[in-house]
Amino acid sequence: MRLFIPATLTMLETLLESDHMPVRSGTAFSATPALVESYSSGDLEEIEHVAFLEAVRASLRLLGGEIDAEAAHETHPYRRVVVSVDVPDAETQLRPDLDTAVVRLSRGSVSLEEVAAVHVDLAGAVETVHEAVDLVDRADLGDEDAELAVGDALDLDLAWYDPVELPFLLDLL
């Protein structure tokens, strides 16, 4: 199953150092049967993009948590990250009670060899992401202005990197 795991640059550094990356609360996003069923049209790639965007939004919350805990990436605290991985279906549990795209990984981390791609914000997104991190909770509670700001961040594409580029990516940021 292809999973989209919300992450941060700090988590990517852990992946690079130890060949494993923690998965916060085991939460990931995928084109689950419930998500597929909720769309009357669209191919798998389009539906996976919906799950991917859910992971992007969750990355905003992870960034906010790291910033609040003073554990954010020292140089680049406002870069969203999503790690795409392929894991056996048996290692996931569908969680439609949380949302149609949510799955729980049965283990607390993923290995570097499972990573299919890494997606990271470009430098031009930082200001918009900073604002979205500050407003994501208000957006979740229905504040329309905050939702617009978060939507602006979701409209910004993350750059795609092959896993073999990870050491260079972190050096070149």
Side-chain angles (χ1 to χ4, degrees):
M1 174 180 277
R2 171 62 53 98
L3 301 182
F4 304 104
I5 301 174
T8 65
L9 288 177
T10 304
M11 293 168 71
L12 280 186
E13 288 176 335
T14 300
L15 177 62
L16 187 60
E17 291 168 7
S18 69
D19 287 337
H20 283 81
M21 183 186 79
V23 179
R24 189 74 171 265
S25 303
T27 301
F29 300 85
S30 185
T32 64
L35 183 62
V36 171
E37 190 176 298
S38 69
Y39 283 84
S40 61
S41 66
D43 62 17
L44 182 59
E45 187 174 325
E46 291 171 316
I47 295 170
E48 281 184 332
H49 186 68
V50 172
F52 176 83
L53 288 177
E54 289 297 320
V56 172
R57 187 178 186 109
S59 181
L60 291 172
R61 291 183 190 89
L62 291 177
L63 289 172
E66 283 187 357
I67 290 163
D68 289 347
E70 297 181 5
H73 191 271
E74 190 174 305
T75 311
H76 305 289
Y78 292 101
R79 299 261 184 121
R80 299 168 299 172
V81 175
V82 173
V83 178
S84 299
V85 300
D86 294 314
V87 299
D89 290 357
E91 294 183 12
T92 63
Q93 176 187 10
L94 303 177
R95 292 299 308 266
D97 56 313
L98 298 174
D99 201 317
T100 56
V102 176
V103 297
R104 287 281 163 87
L105 191 60
S106 62
R107 51 193 157 96
S109 67
V110 292
S111 69
L112 185 56
E113 71 180 29
E114 293 172 308
V115 175
V118 176
H119 314 267
V120 180
D121 271 317
L122 297 172
V126 170
E127 187 176 317
T128 304
V129 170
H130 185 164
E131 183 177 9
V133 166
D134 292 343
L135 297 174
V136 69
D137 290 335
R138 288 181 32 203
D140 289 344
L141 295 172
D143 182 312
E144 289 182 28
D145 292 332
E147 183 58 42
L148 289 172
V150 170
D152 288 344
L154 293 177
D155 287 342
L156 299 172
D157 292 329
L158 280 69
W160 178 94
Y161 299 93
D162 188 279
V164 299
E165 296 176 290
L166 187 55
F168 310 107
L169 167 67
L170 294 173
D171 284 342
L172 295 175
L173 283 178

